[in-house]
Amino acid sequence: MLPGFLAKAVELLLGREGRSLHLKAAGGATVILAVTMLTGSWAVVAAERGAPGAGITTYPKALWWSVETATTVGYGDLYPVTVWGRIIATVVMAVGITTYGMVTAAIATWFVGREQRRQGHLAAAAEAAERAAHRMCDETALALHERFDRLERALARHDGPADDGHG
């Protein structure tokens, strides 16, 4: 059951063809974090088993410890006391910090990209409105010139030579 679920989760996170690179990287890092937390939990229990003063002695406690460690919360309630346990903790911390950084960057990139697309649409709409306004001004100016030309021709035909009747 679990391997099928993991395969489905990996396909969901990484398999989409149109998904951007930063989202694929964040998805891949999340899968790596989950695997690191699961295996790190198992490994720290194995490393801490039988050590004097060890608090991480069961898998459920180890899972809680790996969540605390990966998120860098570190309440201090559970911590490894052996050298191998601390090495495992260092790996879980490094993978957790990297993953949360990548996920944060992916979310920020999504917001920035969305805003840039919105700004691009606004700029395109403003340019189209400006072109339409220029076209309308040009058409209005042309219509006014044609009208004035017609009026001048009509006045020239109607008045003839300058005879104002005061003669």
Side-chain angles (χ1 to χ4, degrees), residues 132-150:
H134 282 290
R135 197 171 37 251
M136 205 161 74
C137 283
D138 291 344
E139 290 170 1
T140 302
L142 182 63
L144 285 172
H145 282 292
E146 289 173 355
R147 194 167 204 186
F148 282 129
D149 288 344
R150 280 195 313 265

Side-chain angles (χ1 to χ4, degrees), residues 16-86:
R16 301 239 171 115
E17 194 64 34
R19 192 167 278 173
S20 65
L21 179 61
H22 64 274
L23 287 178
K24 285 182 182 180
T30 302
V31 169
I32 291 170
L33 175 63
V35 169
T36 301
M37 288 172 58
L38 293 172
T39 58
S41 297
W42 170 82
V44 81
V45 168
E48 297 287 300
R49 182 172 290 129
I56 308 172
T57 55
T58 64
Y59 194 71
K61 284 183 179 180
L63 280 173
W64 175 247
W65 165 82
S66 70
V67 169
E68 286 181 338
T69 303
T71 59
T72 69
V73 170
Y75 292 119
D77 56 344
L78 299 171
Y79 52 89
V81 294
T82 64
V83 171
W84 281 109
R86 291 178 179 174

Side-chain angles (χ1 to χ4, degrees), residues 115-128:
E115 180 63 19
Q116 285 176 340
R117 283 190 300 278
R118 188 182 73 80
Q119 291 292 331
H121 290 305
L122 289 175
E127 287 176 13

